[in-house]
Amino acid sequence: DEVLRTAFLAAIRETLAEHEALAKTAGVEQTIVASGLPVIRAAGIELVNRDMATLMPIAYGLIALLLLVAFAHFGEMLATMLTVGAAVGWTYGVIGWCGIPLQTLTSTTPLVVMIISVSDTAHIITHYRQGVLEGLKRRDAIARATAEAAVPCLLTELVIAGGFLSLLSADMAMIKQFGLATALGVLLAWLANMTALPLLLLAFGSRTVPAGESRSLRLLKWIVGWVEVVVRDHPRRVVVVAVLITLAALALGSRVGREYYNFDDIPETTEIKRSLRAVEAAHGGVVPLVLFVEPTGDLAQQPEPLTDPR
C-alpha cells in the first residue's frame, strides 16, 4: 500500500535524522542512507507529486497567457481556464473511481487532458465570438457555437481516446493504466466543453467583439498564408524539404538505443539518488544478482551436491 509505504519512509527518515544528530554530537563521521525497493518506490511517488506541483501551474500560466494574446479578453480566458480545471478535476475523479494509481505515466494524464480541452475550447470560443460579431444574442451565439463544435470535437476525442485505449494491449500494467486514464480524461474534456464552457461563456464571455483583428491574430494568419502559398506555388521545394527531413529523421532514429538502466531517470540532486550512489559504491547496488543452482541427475542424490566441483 502506497500510503503505508510513504509513512514507513517518513519514519525511516526520522530515525536517520536522530542517528545523524547523535553522531554529530559525538564527533563521529558516518554515512547513513536508506535504500531498497520500498524506499525507492515511496521516493518515486514523492518525485512525481513534486513534478506535478511544479508543471501544472506553469502549464496553466502559459495557457492563460496564450489565450489573452489570442482573444484579448480576460473573461474568455477565465472561462477557458475554469473549463480546463473542470476537465482535469473530473479526470482525477474518474481515475480514483477506477482505482488507477498516480504513477510516472498517469501523472502526465492531466497535462494531456489540458491540451485537448484547450483545443476544443478555442474552437468554441472562436465560433462564439464570430456569432457575437454577426449580431447574435449571447445565448444564441453560445448555442450555435456549441452545436457547430459538438460533433466534430466528439469525433476527434473518440479517435484520440481510441488511440490511448490501444495501449491496453500492452503487457505492462503501468502502460495500460496510462492508456485507460488518458482515454477517459479526453472524453471528459469534451464533456466539460459541452456543459461547463457554455455556462461560463454566459457569465464571462464577450458582450461585444471588435470588428478588427488583433495584431497577434494577423501575424498568425500571415504565417498560415505564407505556408499555404509555398505549398501551392512551390511543390517541388516542399517535396525536397520533406524528403531531406525524412532522411535526417531515419539517420537519427537509427541511433536510438534500447537500453534502460534502473533509476537513471531520478535526478542526481535528490536525496534518494545520493543514497543509491552510496549503496552502489559500498555494496554494488540495491538489487544484487542472484544465481540459483539446482543439481540434476546423480548430483541431486549427493548429500551436499553444491560442494561437488562438477
Side-chain angles (χ1 to χ4, degrees):
D1 184 85
E2 295 297 343
V3 176
L4 294 177
R5 191 178 290 108
T6 301
F8 176 65
L9 177 59
I12 289 178
R13 287 172 174 168
E14 291 181 1
T15 303
L16 294 184
E18 292 176 1
H19 282 273
E20 287 178 352
L22 291 173
K24 186 178 295 185
T25 302
V28 177
E29 292 185 3
Q30 62 180 8
T31 300
I32 309 176
V33 297
S35 190
L37 292 180
V39 173
I40 294 170
R41 285 186 59 178
I45 295 298
E46 287 183 345
L47 292 175
V48 169
N49 293 334
R50 188 185 308 165
D51 288 343
M52 291 306 298
T54 303
L55 291 175
M56 291 296 285
I58 293 176
Y60 266 100
L62 289 175
I63 290 174
L65 179 61
L66 292 174
L67 290 171
L68 280 176
V69 172
F71 297 124
H73 191 276
F74 179 81
E76 288 166 357
M77 181 273 291
L78 180 61
T80 301
M81 301 310 296
L82 292 176
T83 302
V84 171
V88 172
W90 296 353
T91 300
Y92 273 117
V94 77
I95 287 176
W97 181 64
C98 293
I100 300 174
L102 192 63
Q103 32 92 342
T104 305
L105 289 179
T106 54
S107 65
T108 63
T109 293
L111 296 175
V112 177
V113 173
M114 288 175 62
I115 295 170
I116 301 300
S117 180
V118 169
S119 176
D120 288 353
T121 305
H123 284 295
I124 296 173
I125 292 181
T126 300
H127 286 289
Y128 162 74
R129 291 171 64 88
Q130 183 62 34
V132 173
L133 183 61
E134 293 174 1
L136 293 178
K137 294 182 179 180
R138 296 176 67 224
R139 287 179 178 272
D140 295 336
I142 293 171
R144 190 180 77 171
T146 305
E148 290 177 348
V151 174
C153 289
L154 177 60
L155 293 176
T156 302
E157 262 61 292
L158 288 174
V159 172
I160 296 174
F164 281 110
L165 286 176
S166 67
L167 297 178
L168 294 177
S169 61
D171 294 329
M172 294 182 63
M174 179 183 293
I175 297 177
K176 291 182 179 180
Q177 293 166 353
F178 171 68
L180 178 59
T182 309
L184 294 173
V186 166
L187 296 176
L188 289 173
W190 177 85
L191 184 61
N193 277 288
M194 294 300 112
T195 55
L197 181 59
L199 297 174
L200 292 167
L201 283 178
L202 191 61
F204 305 114
S206 302
R207 297 182 181 275
T208 59
V209 176
E213 297 176 342
S214 63
R215 182 179 303 176
S216 58
L217 185 58
R218 289 197 301 270
L219 176 61
L220 180 61
K221 284 189 173 182
W222 180 85
I223 295 174
V224 173
W226 176 80
V227 172
E228 180 183 357
V229 169
V230 171
V231 172
R232 184 184 65 242
D233 297 343
H234 306 283
R236 291 184 179 179
R237 295 182 187 177
V238 175
V239 173
V240 171
V241 172
V243 171
L244 292 177
I245 292 176
T246 303
L247 293 176
L250 291 175
L252 294 174
S254 64
R255 301 172 57 189
V256 174
R258 297 186 180 182
E259 297 180 347
Y260 186 81
Y261 298 97
N262 220 5
F263 316 133
D264 273 5
D265 54 348
I266 300 177
E268 294 287 343
T269 56
T270 57
E271 175 189 355
I272 187 62
K273 195 58 174 279
R274 291 194 295 269
S275 299
L276 285 170
R277 293 303 186 208
V279 175
E280 287 173 355
H283 305 290
V286 298
V287 184
L289 174 65
V290 180
L291 301 178
F292 293 94
V293 181
E294 182 179 359
T296 59
D298 294 338
L299 287 177
Q301 308 302 323
Q302 301 296 326
E304 295 182 1
L306 290 183
T307 62
D308 192 304
R310 292 174 295 173

Short mmCIF file of all heavy atoms in Angstrom, two decimals, residues 46-111:
data_model
loop_
_atom_site.label_atom_id
_atom_site.label_comp_id
_atom_site.label_asym_id
_atom_site.label_seq_id
_atom_site.Cartn_x
_atom_site.Cartn_y
_atom_site.Cartn_z
N GLU A 46 6.95 10.57 -4.37
CA GLU A 46 7.21 11.95 -3.94
C GLU A 46 7.72 12.80 -5.10
O GLU A 46 7.29 13.95 -5.26
CB GLU A 46 8.24 11.96 -2.80
CG GLU A 46 7.71 11.47 -1.48
CD GLU A 46 8.74 11.57 -0.38
OE1 GLU A 46 9.94 11.75 -0.70
OE2 GLU A 46 8.37 11.49 0.80
N LEU A 47 8.61 12.24 -5.90
CA LEU A 47 9.15 12.99 -7.04
C LEU A 47 8.05 13.31 -8.05
O LEU A 47 8.01 14.42 -8.61
CB LEU A 47 10.27 12.20 -7.71
CG LEU A 47 11.56 12.02 -6.91
CD1 LEU A 47 12.53 11.11 -7.65
CD2 LEU A 47 12.21 13.38 -6.64
N VAL A 48 7.17 12.34 -8.31
CA VAL A 48 6.07 12.57 -9.25
C VAL A 48 5.17 13.69 -8.75
O VAL A 48 4.79 14.61 -9.50
CB VAL A 48 5.26 11.28 -9.44
CG1 VAL A 48 3.95 11.56 -10.19
CG2 VAL A 48 6.07 10.25 -10.21
N ASN A 49 4.81 13.64 -7.47
CA ASN A 49 3.94 14.68 -6.91
C ASN A 49 4.61 16.05 -6.95
O ASN A 49 3.97 17.07 -7.22
CB ASN A 49 3.56 14.33 -5.47
CG ASN A 49 2.67 13.10 -5.39
OD1 ASN A 49 1.96 12.79 -6.34
ND2 ASN A 49 2.70 12.41 -4.27
N ARG A 50 5.92 16.06 -6.71
CA ARG A 50 6.64 17.34 -6.73
C ARG A 50 6.69 17.91 -8.15
O ARG A 50 6.51 19.11 -8.36
CB ARG A 50 8.06 17.12 -6.20
CG ARG A 50 8.85 18.40 -5.98
CD ARG A 50 10.27 18.07 -5.57
NE ARG A 50 10.30 17.15 -4.45
CZ ARG A 50 11.39 16.47 -4.09
NH1 ARG A 50 12.51 16.63 -4.76
NH2 ARG A 50 11.34 15.65 -3.06
N ASP A 51 6.91 17.04 -9.12
CA ASP A 51 6.93 17.50 -10.51
C ASP A 51 5.58 18.05 -10.94
O ASP A 51 5.50 19.08 -11.62
CB ASP A 51 7.33 16.35 -11.44
CG ASP A 51 8.81 16.00 -11.31
OD1 ASP A 51 9.56 16.82 -10.76
OD2 ASP A 51 9.19 14.90 -11.74
N MET A 52 4.50 17.36 -10.57
CA MET A 52 3.17 17.83 -10.94
C MET A 52 2.85 19.16 -10.27
O MET A 52 2.19 20.02 -10.87
CB MET A 52 2.12 16.78 -10.56
CG MET A 52 2.20 15.52 -11.40
SD MET A 52 2.13 15.86 -13.17
CE MET A 52 0.52 16.62 -13.32
N ALA A 53 3.29 19.33 -9.03
CA ALA A 53 3.05 20.59 -8.34
C ALA A 53 3.79 21.75 -9.01
O ALA A 53 3.39 22.91 -8.89
CB ALA A 53 3.51 20.48 -6.88
N THR A 54 4.85 21.43 -9.76
CA THR A 54 5.59 22.46 -10.49
C THR A 54 5.05 22.65 -11.90
O THR A 54 4.86 23.78 -12.36
CB THR A 54 7.08 22.08 -10.56
OG1 THR A 54 7.58 21.92 -9.24
CG2 THR A 54 7.87 23.15 -11.28
N LEU A 55 4.78 21.53 -12.60
CA LEU A 55 4.40 21.60 -14.01
C LEU A 55 2.99 22.15 -14.21
O LEU A 55 2.75 22.91 -15.16
CB LEU A 55 4.51 20.21 -14.64
CG LEU A 55 5.92 19.66 -14.82
CD1 LEU A 55 5.88 18.24 -15.35
CD2 LEU A 55 6.73 20.55 -15.76
N MET A 56 2.05 21.77 -13.36
CA MET A 56 0.67 22.19 -13.56
C MET A 56 0.52 23.71 -13.51
O MET A 56 -0.11 24.30 -14.40
CB MET A 56 -0.24 21.51 -12.55
CG MET A 56 -0.40 20.01 -12.77
SD MET A 56 -1.20 19.60 -14.33
CE MET A 56 -2.89 20.02 -13.95
N PRO A 57 1.06 24.40 -12.49
CA PRO A 57 0.95 25.87 -12.50
C PRO A 57 1.63 26.51 -13.71
O PRO A 57 1.11 27.49 -14.26
CB PRO A 57 1.63 26.28 -11.19
CG PRO A 57 1.54 25.08 -10.31
CD PRO A 57 1.66 23.91 -11.23
N ILE A 58 2.78 25.96 -14.13
CA ILE A 58 3.46 26.51 -15.31
C ILE A 58 2.59 26.35 -16.55
O ILE A 58 2.44 27.27 -17.36
CB ILE A 58 4.83 25.83 -15.51
CG1 ILE A 58 5.78 26.21 -14.36
CG2 ILE A 58 5.44 26.22 -16.85
CD1 ILE A 58 7.11 25.50 -14.42
N ALA A 59 2.00 25.16 -16.70
CA ALA A 59 1.14 24.91 -17.86
C ALA A 59 -0.07 25.83 -17.85
O ALA A 59 -0.44 26.41 -18.88
CB ALA A 59 0.70 23.44 -17.87
N TYR A 60 -0.70 25.99 -16.68
CA TYR A 60 -1.85 26.88 -16.58
C TYR A 60 -1.45 28.31 -16.93
O TYR A 60 -2.19 29.03 -17.63
CB TYR A 60 -2.42 26.83 -15.16
CG TYR A 60 -3.54 25.85 -14.99
CD1 TYR A 60 -3.32 24.59 -14.43
CD2 TYR A 60 -4.84 26.16 -15.36
CE1 TYR A 60 -4.34 23.67 -14.27
CE2 TYR A 60 -5.88 25.26 -15.21
CZ TYR A 60 -5.62 24.03 -14.67
OH TYR A 60 -6.64 23.12 -14.52
N GLY A 61 -0.30 28.74 -16.44
CA GLY A 61 0.14 30.11 -16.72
C GLY A 61 0.40 30.34 -18.20
O GLY A 61 0.00 31.39 -18.74
N LEU A 62 1.06 29.38 -18.86
CA LEU A 62 1.33 29.54 -20.29
C LEU A 62 0.04 29.54 -21.10
O LEU A 62 -0.12 30.34 -22.04
CB LEU A 62 2.24 28.41 -20.77
CG LEU A 62 3.69 28.46 -20.29
CD1 LEU A 62 4.45 27.22 -20.73
CD2 LEU A 62 4.38 29.71 -20.81
N ILE A 63 -0.90 28.67 -20.73
CA ILE A 63 -2.18 28.64 -21.45
C ILE A 63 -2.92 29.95 -21.27
O ILE A 63 -3.47 30.51 -22.23
CB ILE A 63 -3.03 27.45 -20.95
CG1 ILE A 63 -2.41 26.13 -21.40
CG2 ILE A 63 -4.47 27.55 -21.48
CD1 ILE A 63 -3.09 24.92 -20.82
N ALA A 64 -2.95 30.46 -20.05
CA ALA A 64 -3.63 31.73 -19.80
C ALA A 64 -3.01 32.87 -20.60
O ALA A 64 -3.72 33.71 -21.18
CB ALA A 64 -3.59 32.05 -18.30
N LEU A 65 -1.69 32.89 -20.66
CA LEU A 65 -1.00 33.94 -21.42
C LEU A 65 -1.34 33.86 -22.91
O LEU A 65 -1.65 34.87 -23.55
CB LEU A 65 0.50 33.83 -21.21
CG LEU A 65 1.37 34.84 -21.96
CD1 LEU A 65 1.04 36.25 -21.52
CD2 LEU A 65 2.86 34.54 -21.73
N LEU A 66 -1.30 32.65 -23.46
CA LEU A 66 -1.60 32.48 -24.89
C LEU A 66 -3.05 32.85 -25.20
O LEU A 66 -3.34 33.43 -26.25
CB LEU A 66 -1.33 31.03 -25.30
CG LEU A 66 0.15 30.61 -25.31
CD1 LEU A 66 0.28 29.12 -25.59
CD2 LEU A 66 0.93 31.42 -26.34
N LEU A 67 -3.96 32.53 -24.30
CA LEU A 67 -5.37 32.86 -24.52
C LEU A 67 -5.58 34.38 -24.48
O LEU A 67 -6.38 34.91 -25.25
CB LEU A 67 -6.24 32.17 -23.47
CG LEU A 67 -6.36 30.66 -23.61
CD1 LEU A 67 -7.06 30.07 -22.39
CD2 LEU A 67 -7.13 30.29 -24.87
N LEU A 68 -4.90 35.05 -23.57
CA LEU A 68 -5.01 36.50 -23.52
C LEU A 68 -4.48 37.13 -24.81
O LEU A 68 -5.06 38.10 -25.32
CB LEU A 68 -4.25 37.04 -22.31
CG LEU A 68 -4.97 36.94 -20.96
CD1 LEU A 68 -4.06 37.42 -19.84
CD2 LEU A 68 -6.26 37.75 -20.96
N VAL A 69 -3.40 36.58 -25.33
CA VAL A 69 -2.85 37.10 -26.58
C VAL A 69 -3.81 36.83 -27.74
O VAL A 69 -4.03 37.68 -28.61
CB VAL A 69 -1.47 36.48 -26.86
CG1 VAL A 69 -0.98 36.85 -28.25
CG2 VAL A 69 -0.47 36.94 -25.81
N ALA A 70 -4.41 35.64 -27.74
CA ALA A 70 -5.27 35.24 -28.86
C ALA A 70 -6.61 35.98 -28.84
O ALA A 70 -7.07 36.47 -29.88
CB ALA A 70 -5.50 33.74 -28.84
N PHE A 71 -7.26 36.05 -27.67
CA PHE A 71 -8.61 36.61 -27.60
C PHE A 71 -8.66 38.02 -27.04
O PHE A 71 -9.66 38.73 -27.21
CB PHE A 71 -9.51 35.71 -26.75
CG PHE A 71 -9.70 34.34 -27.32
CD1 PHE A 71 -9.40 33.21 -26.59
CD2 PHE A 71 -10.17 34.17 -28.62
CE1 PHE A 71 -9.57 31.94 -27.11
CE2 PHE A 71 -10.35 32.91 -29.15
CZ PHE A 71 -10.04 31.78 -28.40
N ALA A 72 -7.59 38.43 -26.34
CA ALA A 72 -7.54 39.78 -25.75
C ALA A 72 -8.78 40.06 -24.91
O ALA A 72 -9.34 41.16 -24.94
CB ALA A 72 -7.38 40.83 -26.85
N HIS A 73 -9.21 39.06 -24.14
CA HIS A 73 -10.39 39.22 -23.30
C HIS A 73 -10.21 38.38 -22.04
O HIS A 73 -10.09 37.15 -22.12
CB HIS A 73 -11.65 38.81 -24.05
CG HIS A 73 -12.92 39.19 -23.35
ND1 HIS A 73 -13.48 38.41 -22.37
CD2 HIS A 73 -13.72 40.28 -23.50
CE1 HIS A 73 -14.59 39.00 -21.93
NE2 HIS A 73 -14.75 40.14 -22.60
N PHE A 74 -10.20 39.05 -20.88
CA PHE A 74 -9.94 38.35 -19.63
C PHE A 74 -11.05 37.35 -19.31
O PHE A 74 -10.79 36.25 -18.81
CB PHE A 74 -9.80 39.36 -18.48
CG PHE A 74 -9.55 38.71 -17.14
CD1 PHE A 74 -8.28 38.29 -16.79
CD2 PHE A 74 -10.60 38.50 -16.24
CE1 PHE A 74 -8.05 37.69 -15.57
CE2 PHE A 74 -10.37 37.90 -15.02
CZ PHE A 74 -9.09 37.49 -14.68
N GLY A 75 -12.30 37.72 -19.57
CA GLY A 75 -13.41 36.84 -19.24
C GLY A 75 -13.37 35.52 -19.98
O GLY A 75 -13.63 34.46 -19.41
N GLU A 76 -13.04 35.56 -21.27
CA GLU A 76 -12.98 34.33 -22.05
C GLU A 76 -11.77 33.49 -21.65
O GLU A 76 -11.82 32.26 -21.68
CB GLU A 76 -12.96 34.68 -23.53
CG GLU A 76 -14.31 35.19 -24.01
CD GLU A 76 -14.25 35.86 -25.37
OE1 GLU A 76 -13.13 35.98 -25.92
OE2 GLU A 76 -15.31 36.27 -25.87
N MET A 77 -10.67 34.15 -21.28
CA MET A 77 -9.54 33.41 -20.74
C MET A 77 -9.94 32.70 -19.45
O MET A 77 -9.63 31.52 -19.24
CB MET A 77 -8.36 34.35 -20.49
CG MET A 77 -7.11 33.66 -19.94
SD MET A 77 -7.10 33.49 -18.13
CE MET A 77 -6.91 35.20 -17.64
N LEU A 78 -10.68 33.41 -18.58
CA LEU A 78 -11.12 32.82 -17.32
C LEU A 78 -12.08 31.65 -17.57
O LEU A 78 -11.98 30.60 -16.92
CB LEU A 78 -11.80 33.89 -16.46
CG LEU A 78 -12.34 33.42 -15.10
CD1 LEU A 78 -11.18 32.91 -14.23
CD2 LEU A 78 -13.06 34.57 -14.40
N ALA A 79 -12.99 31.80 -18.52
CA ALA A 79 -13.91 30.72 -18.85
C ALA A 79 -13.16 29.48 -19.33
O ALA A 79 -13.49 28.34 -18.96
CB ALA A 79 -14.90 31.19 -19.91
N THR A 80 -12.12 29.71 -20.14
CA THR A 80 -11.33 28.59 -20.63
C THR A 80 -10.59 27.89 -19.50
O THR A 80 -10.59 26.65 -19.41
CB THR A 80 -10.31 29.09 -21.68
OG1 THR A 80 -11.01 29.71 -22.76
CG2 THR A 80 -9.47 27.94 -22.20
N MET A 81 -9.98 28.66 -18.62
CA MET A 81 -9.20 28.06 -17.54
C MET A 81 -10.10 27.28 -16.58
O MET A 81 -9.72 26.22 -16.09
CB MET A 81 -8.43 29.14 -16.79
CG MET A 81 -7.45 29.94 -17.65
SD MET A 81 -6.37 28.89 -18.65
CE MET A 81 -5.46 28.04 -17.38
N LEU A 82 -11.29 27.80 -16.31
CA LEU A 82 -12.22 27.08 -15.43
C LEU A 82 -12.72 25.80 -16.10
O LEU A 82 -12.91 24.77 -15.43
CB LEU A 82 -13.39 27.98 -15.06
CG LEU A 82 -13.06 29.17 -14.15
CD1 LEU A 82 -14.28 30.05 -13.94
CD2 LEU A 82 -12.52 28.68 -12.81
N THR A 83 -12.92 25.85 -17.41
CA THR A 83 -13.32 24.64 -18.13
C THR A 83 -12.22 23.60 -18.09
O THR A 83 -12.47 22.40 -17.86
CB THR A 83 -13.66 24.98 -19.60
OG1 THR A 83 -14.70 25.96 -19.62
CG2 THR A 83 -14.12 23.74 -20.35
N VAL A 84 -10.98 24.03 -18.32
CA VAL A 84 -9.84 23.11 -18.23
C VAL A 84 -9.74 22.54 -16.82
O VAL A 84 -9.50 21.33 -16.64
CB VAL A 84 -8.54 23.83 -18.62
CG1 VAL A 84 -7.33 22.96 -18.32
CG2 VAL A 84 -8.57 24.21 -20.09
N GLY A 85 -9.94 23.38 -15.82
CA GLY A 85 -9.90 22.90 -14.45
C GLY A 85 -10.96 21.85 -14.18
O GLY A 85 -10.71 20.86 -13.47
N ALA A 86 -12.16 22.05 -14.73
CA ALA A 86 -13.23 21.06 -14.57
C ALA A 86 -12.84 19.74 -15.23
O ALA A 86 -13.03 18.67 -14.64
CB ALA A 86 -14.53 21.60 -15.17
N ALA A 87 -12.29 19.81 -16.44
CA ALA A 87 -11.89 18.59 -17.14
C ALA A 87 -10.82 17.82 -16.36
O ALA A 87 -10.89 16.60 -16.21
CB ALA A 87 -11.39 18.93 -18.54
N VAL A 88 -9.82 18.55 -15.85
CA VAL A 88 -8.75 17.90 -15.08
C VAL A 88 -9.30 17.34 -13.78
O VAL A 88 -8.96 16.21 -13.38
CB VAL A 88 -7.61 18.90 -14.82
CG1 VAL A 88 -6.58 18.31 -13.86
CG2 VAL A 88 -6.93 19.30 -16.12
N GLY A 89 -10.16 18.11 -13.10
CA GLY A 89 -10.74 17.63 -11.85
C GLY A 89 -11.59 16.39 -12.05
O GLY A 89 -11.50 15.43 -11.27
N TRP A 90 -12.40 16.37 -13.09
CA TRP A 90 -13.21 15.18 -13.38
C TRP A 90 -12.33 13.99 -13.73
O TRP A 90 -12.65 12.85 -13.38
CB TRP A 90 -14.17 15.48 -14.54
CG TRP A 90 -15.18 16.54 -14.22
CD1 TRP A 90 -15.39 17.15 -13.02
CD2 TRP A 90 -16.09 17.17 -15.14
NE1 TRP A 90 -16.36 18.11 -13.13
CE2 TRP A 90 -16.82 18.13 -14.41
CE3 TRP A 90 -16.34 17.01 -16.49
CZ2 TRP A 90 -17.80 18.93 -15.00
CZ3 TRP A 90 -17.31 17.80 -17.09
CH2 TRP A 90 -18.04 18.75 -16.35
N THR A 91 -11.20 14.26 -14.39
CA THR A 91 -10.29 13.18 -14.74
C THR A 91 -9.69 12.55 -13.48
O THR A 91 -9.61 11.32 -13.37
CB THR A 91 -9.17 13.69 -15.66
OG1 THR A 91 -9.75 14.23 -16.85
CG2 THR A 91 -8.20 12.58 -16.02
N TYR A 92 -9.26 13.39 -12.54
CA TYR A 92 -8.76 12.85 -11.28
C TYR A 92 -9.83 12.02 -10.60
O TYR A 92 -9.55 10.96 -10.00
CB TYR A 92 -8.31 13.99 -10.36
CG TYR A 92 -6.89 14.43 -10.58
CD1 TYR A 92 -6.58 15.72 -11.01
CD2 TYR A 92 -5.83 13.57 -10.34
CE1 TYR A 92 -5.28 16.13 -11.22
CE2 TYR A 92 -4.52 13.96 -10.53
CZ TYR A 92 -4.25 15.25 -10.97
OH TYR A 92 -2.94 15.64 -11.16
N GLY A 93 -11.08 12.49 -10.67
CA GLY A 93 -12.17 11.75 -10.03
C GLY A 93 -12.38 10.38 -10.64
O GLY A 93 -12.51 9.38 -9.91
N VAL A 94 -12.37 10.30 -11.97
CA VAL A 94 -12.61 9.01 -12.61
C VAL A 94 -11.40 8.08 -12.43
O VAL A 94 -11.55 6.86 -12.34
CB VAL A 94 -12.94 9.20 -14.11
CG1 VAL A 94 -11.71 9.50 -14.93
CG2 VAL A 94 -13.65 7.97 -14.67
N ILE A 95 -10.19 8.66 -12.35
CA ILE A 95 -9.01 7.85 -12.07
C ILE A 95 -9.12 7.21 -10.70
O ILE A 95 -8.85 6.01 -10.51
CB ILE A 95 -7.73 8.70 -12.18
CG1 ILE A 95 -7.42 9.03 -13.64
CG2 ILE A 95 -6.53 7.97 -11.56
CD1 ILE A 95 -6.22 9.95 -13.82
N GLY A 96 -9.55 8.01 -9.70
CA GLY A 96 -9.74 7.46 -8.37
C GLY A 96 -10.85 6.43 -8.32
O GLY A 96 -10.74 5.40 -7.65
N TRP A 97 -11.94 6.69 -9.06
CA TRP A 97 -13.07 5.76 -9.08
C TRP A 97 -12.68 4.43 -9.69
O TRP A 97 -13.12 3.37 -9.25
CB TRP A 97 -14.22 6.39 -9.85
CG TRP A 97 -15.45 5.52 -9.90
CD1 TRP A 97 -16.22 5.13 -8.86
CD2 TRP A 97 -16.02 4.93 -11.08
NE1 TRP A 97 -17.26 4.33 -9.30
CE2 TRP A 97 -17.15 4.18 -10.66
CE3 TRP A 97 -15.69 4.96 -12.43
CZ2 TRP A 97 -17.95 3.48 -11.55
CZ3 TRP A 97 -16.48 4.25 -13.32
CH2 TRP A 97 -17.59 3.53 -12.87
N CYS A 98 -11.82 4.46 -10.72
CA CYS A 98 -11.37 3.24 -11.38
C CYS A 98 -10.23 2.55 -10.62
O CYS A 98 -9.81 1.46 -11.01
CB CYS A 98 -10.91 3.54 -12.81
SG CYS A 98 -12.23 4.06 -13.92
N GLY A 99 -9.73 3.19 -9.57
CA GLY A 99 -8.64 2.59 -8.81
C GLY A 99 -7.30 2.63 -9.52
O GLY A 99 -6.43 1.80 -9.26
N ILE A 100 -7.11 3.60 -10.42
CA ILE A 100 -5.85 3.72 -11.15
C ILE A 100 -4.88 4.55 -10.32
O ILE A 100 -5.20 5.67 -9.93
CB ILE A 100 -6.07 4.37 -12.52
CG1 ILE A 100 -7.03 3.52 -13.37
CG2 ILE A 100 -4.75 4.56 -13.25
CD1 ILE A 100 -7.42 4.17 -14.68
N PRO A 101 -3.69 4.05 -10.03
CA PRO A 101 -2.74 4.81 -9.20
C PRO A 101 -2.08 5.94 -9.98
O PRO A 101 -2.02 5.92 -11.21
CB PRO A 101 -1.71 3.75 -8.79
CG PRO A 101 -1.73 2.76 -9.92
CD PRO A 101 -3.16 2.72 -10.40
N LEU A 102 -1.60 6.91 -9.25
CA LEU A 102 -0.86 8.02 -9.85
C LEU A 102 0.61 7.62 -9.88
O LEU A 102 1.31 7.68 -8.87
CB LEU A 102 -1.05 9.30 -9.03
CG LEU A 102 -0.58 10.59 -9.69
CD1 LEU A 102 -1.38 10.87 -10.95
CD2 LEU A 102 -0.70 11.77 -8.72
N GLN A 103 1.06 7.19 -11.06
CA GLN A 103 2.45 6.75 -11.21
C GLN A 103 3.12 7.61 -12.29
O GLN A 103 2.57 8.64 -12.69
CB GLN A 103 2.50 5.25 -11.54
CG GLN A 103 1.33 4.73 -12.36
CD GLN A 103 1.56 4.74 -13.85
OE1 GLN A 103 2.44 5.41 -14.35
NE2 GLN A 103 0.77 3.99 -14.58
N THR A 104 4.29 7.19 -12.72
CA THR A 104 5.09 8.02 -13.62
C THR A 104 4.33 8.42 -14.88
O THR A 104 4.37 9.57 -15.31
CB THR A 104 6.39 7.29 -14.00
OG1 THR A 104 7.09 6.92 -12.81
CG2 THR A 104 7.29 8.18 -14.84
N LEU A 105 3.62 7.48 -15.50
CA LEU A 105 2.91 7.78 -16.74
C LEU A 105 1.58 8.48 -16.49
O LEU A 105 1.26 9.47 -17.15
CB LEU A 105 2.69 6.49 -17.53
CG LEU A 105 3.93 5.86 -18.17
CD1 LEU A 105 3.56 4.58 -18.90
CD2 LEU A 105 4.58 6.83 -19.13
N THR A 106 0.78 7.97 -15.56
CA THR A 106 -0.53 8.57 -15.33
C THR A 106 -0.41 9.99 -14.75
O THR A 106 -1.37 10.76 -14.83
CB THR A 106 -1.36 7.71 -14.36
OG1 THR A 106 -0.62 7.47 -13.16
CG2 THR A 106 -1.72 6.39 -15.00
N SER A 107 0.75 10.33 -14.21
CA SER A 107 0.92 11.69 -13.71
C SER A 107 0.91 12.71 -14.85
O SER A 107 0.66 13.90 -14.63
CB SER A 107 2.23 11.82 -12.92
OG SER A 107 3.35 11.60 -13.77
N THR A 108 1.17 12.27 -16.09
CA THR A 108 1.13 13.17 -17.24
C THR A 108 -0.26 13.27 -17.85
O THR A 108 -0.47 14.11 -18.73
CB THR A 108 2.12 12.70 -18.32
OG1 THR A 108 1.73 11.40 -18.80
CG2 THR A 108 3.53 12.59 -17.76
N THR A 109 -1.19 12.43 -17.42
CA THR A 109 -2.54 12.44 -17.98
C THR A 109 -3.21 13.82 -17.86
O THR A 109 -3.81 14.29 -18.83
CB THR A 109 -3.40 11.37 -17.31
OG1 THR A 109 -2.90 10.08 -17.69
CG2 THR A 109 -4.86 11.47 -17.74
N PRO A 110 -3.15 14.50 -16.70
CA PRO A 110 -3.77 15.83 -16.63
C PRO A 110 -3.23 16.81 -17.66
O PRO A 110 -3.99 17.64 -18.18
CB PRO A 110 -3.45 16.28 -15.20
CG PRO A 110 -3.27 15.02 -14.44
CD PRO A 110 -2.63 14.07 -15.39
N LEU A 111 -1.95 16.74 -17.98
CA LEU A 111 -1.39 17.64 -18.99
C LEU A 111 -1.97 17.35 -20.37
O LEU A 111 -2.26 18.28 -21.13
CB LEU A 111 0.13 17.51 -19.01
CG LEU A 111 0.87 17.93 -17.73
CD1 LEU A 111 2.35 17.63 -17.85
CD2 LEU A 111 0.65 19.40 -17.45
#
